[in-house]
Amino acid sequence: MEANHVLDCKGLQCPVPLIQAKRAVERLSVNEILELHTTDPGALQDIPVWARANGHTIVKQQTDGSTYRFWIKKGRRED
């Protein structure tokens, strides 16, 4: 899947990946995609909940060993 921006948050713990993802999505245009990489297991719950609450969509989610990858499509609702 093609992303407009890739954000590497590997090695960072909660809440840093979520905060950085929020800032990165704010810089995207509607319908653009952020690819987030993190090793924080809390992100498996936090990122989808945050995305839904803010009108964004997780279009793909993948686990590669201890790395969690999310593709987040920016929605129309403002953060």
Side-chain angles (χ1 to χ4, degrees), residues 10-71:
K10 292 187 295 277
L12 302 175
Q13 295 302 308
C14 186
V16 178
L18 181 59
I19 292 168
Q20 289 191 5
K22 179 183 183 300
R23 289 178 182 159
V25 167
E26 287 173 349
R27 293 189 297 268
L28 296 176
S29 297
V30 172
N31 293 324
E32 287 189 327
I33 295 176
L34 170 69
E35 182 179 336
L36 170 65
H37 300 189
T38 181
T39 51
D40 177 15
L44 291 170
Q45 181 177 2
D46 296 345
I47 297 297
V49 168
W50 163 81
R52 279 191 305 275
N54 288 281
H56 311 306
T57 305
I58 303 294
V59 293
K60 184 176 177 183
Q61 183 174 329
Q62 183 176 322
T63 301
D64 298 316
S66 63
T67 300
Y68 310 107
R69 297 169 56 185
F70 300 88
W71 286 261

